[in-house]
Amino acid sequence: MGNYDAAVALSEATGLDASDALAAVRTYTSRPGMSLNLEQQVSENWGVFARAGWADGNVECWDNTDIDRSVEAGVSINGKQWGRPDDTIGVAGVINGISSAHAAYFNAGGLGVVIGDGQLPHPGFEQIVETYYSYALSASTKVSFDYQFFANPAYNTDRGPVNVFAGRFHAAF
């Protein structure tokens, strides 16, 4: 994986595109990180959760998306109270961030795993609110409807907000 500071320096010194510079400075290395997950069933009908994660923001991401630190909290409630015990409704809030080296790489025109549009002059925290309803068709089959609101998508305070609507189908065999 490449080092963002080294890629930006090479790009500035040679005029090489930032993404190509990142490829040129790749070495066999790791991207240390850690995460914490807390879940608590508060009552028979609802529970809360919180998650936090951190990864070395000077080293290229390569597996999922461009996040160097994240905190999330939420609540889920089962449908027992309204006569649908296999249904679940939930809401969560998330704040994601990237390091200054990561932001400088994006501002230099670099591309990440799924983000990057050639500039990031005003980076900020990506903020997400998500809510969903999981409707049980049977004990093993569920369909879910999901809504997500993104402020500062891809850490860019000059973009957004973005609204995302989704549906999921889950069957367990």
Side-chain angles (χ1 to χ4, degrees), residues 90-128:
V91 64
V94 182
I95 299 174
N96 295 322
I98 56 175
S99 69
S100 58
H102 206 155
Y105 167 74
F106 283 135
N107 197 43
L111 301 176
V113 176
V114 294
I115 66 172
D117 63 0
Q119 60 182 346
L120 188 60
H122 306 108
F125 289 109
E126 181 179 68
Q127 302 160 10
I128 306 165

Side-chain angles (χ1 to χ4, degrees), residues 14-145:
T14 64
L16 193 62
D17 175 80
S19 295
D20 293 335
L22 186 64
V25 300
R26 285 186 180 130
T27 61
Y28 183 79
T29 189
S30 62
R31 185 172 194 257
M34 57 190 219
S35 60
L36 174 68
N37 181 54
L38 303 170
E39 298 178 36
Q40 180 63 51
Q41 191 70 31
V42 176
S43 76
E44 180 183 3
N45 298 323
W46 66 284
V48 295
F49 66 91
R51 299 180 182 106
W54 170 89
D56 184 349
N58 294 317
V59 178
E60 173 183 17
C61 300
W62 58 273
D63 59 349
N64 187 13
T65 191
D66 294 280
I67 298 174
D68 298 329
R69 53 192 169 269
S70 181
V71 293
E72 175 180 3
V75 62
S76 64
I77 304 167
N78 71 30
K80 187 174 183 179
Q81 296 175 21
W82 57 91
R84 299 222 21 107
D86 293 327
D87 288 8
T88 307
I89 190 168
V91 64
V94 182
I95 299 174
N96 295 322
I98 56 175
S99 69
S100 58
H102 206 155
Y105 167 74
F106 283 135
N107 197 43
L111 301 176
V113 176
V114 294
I115 66 172
D117 63 0
Q119 60 182 346
L120 188 60
H122 306 108
F125 289 109
E126 181 179 68
Q127 302 160 10
I128 306 165
V129 175
E130 177 178 12
T131 187
Y132 72 91
Y133 189 92
S134 177
Y135 182 85
L137 299 172
S138 69
S140 62
T141 307
K142 298 180 180 188
V143 61
S144 299
F145 305 95

